[in-house]
């Protein structure tokens, strides 16, 4: 008797945003909250958000492989408004972020 065979194809939806966070520092909640905020803001523009466990104090945000924020390079964590602008500038440059944009221009 033949058994059905399934081929799993990994399909990545674009654009893909990755948040790599340090498990030793217990930054999962921060990474999850950041992902939730970005998915809420960019509901149709983002194809996928991935949380990637890491170590050594890492907290990096990448979009399609390009680093938008690195805790090691920029020091500290990104302000959410700034991170939203960085993402917007890459995936929806004509989009108005409402109060987030108005706060940045003052």
């Amino acid at each position: 008797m033949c058994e059905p065979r399934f081929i799993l194809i990994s399909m990545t939806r674009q654009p893909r945003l990755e948040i790599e966070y340090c498990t030793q520092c217990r930054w999962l909640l921060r990474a999850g909250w950041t992902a939730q905020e970005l998915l809420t803001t960019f509901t149709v523009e983002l194809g996928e958000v991935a949380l990637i466990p890491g170590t050594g104090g890492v907290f990096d945000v990448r979009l399609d492989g390009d680093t938008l924020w690195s805790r090691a390079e920029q020091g500290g964590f990104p302000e959410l408004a700034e991170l939203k602008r960085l993402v917007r500038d890459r995936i929806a440059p004509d989009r108005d972020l409402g109060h987030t944009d108005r706060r940045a221009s003052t």
Side-chain angles (χ1 to χ4, degrees):
M1 170 167 243
C2 293
E3 292 183 19
R5 293 186 180 207
F6 298 96
I7 299 173
L8 296 177
I9 299 172
S10 176
M11 293 177 36
T12 301
R13 296 180 179 164
Q14 300 297 324
R16 182 175 201 258
L17 187 115
E18 300 174 345
I19 302 172
E20 185 175 1
Y21 64 94
C22 180
T23 57
Q24 296 167 316
C25 301
R26 300 187 186 278
W27 288 337
L28 173 60
L29 288 177
R30 180 183 293 268
W33 173 75
T34 302
Q36 176 183 329
E37 288 293 322
L38 292 171
L39 283 168
T40 300
T41 300
F42 302 103
T43 55
V44 296
E45 294 91 352
L46 282 174
E48 178 177 31
V49 174
L51 299 179
I52 301 172
T55 56
V58 67
F59 195 91
D60 290 350
V61 180
R62 293 182 291 271
L63 184 64
D64 289 335
D66 295 330
T67 301
L68 297 180
W69 187 271
S70 173
R71 183 176 177 277
E73 292 175 20
Q74 277 96 355
F77 297 97
E79 291 292 328
L80 190 57
E82 181 179 357
L83 187 57
K84 285 182 180 183
R85 285 190 295 274
L86 290 170
V87 172
R88 184 269 317 269
D89 291 349
R90 293 279 308 275
I91 66 173
D94 296 330
R95 173 133 183 236
D96 180 20
L97 291 176
H99 68 278
T100 300
D101 279 336
R102 285 190 288 280
R103 227 182 294 152
S105 63
T106 58

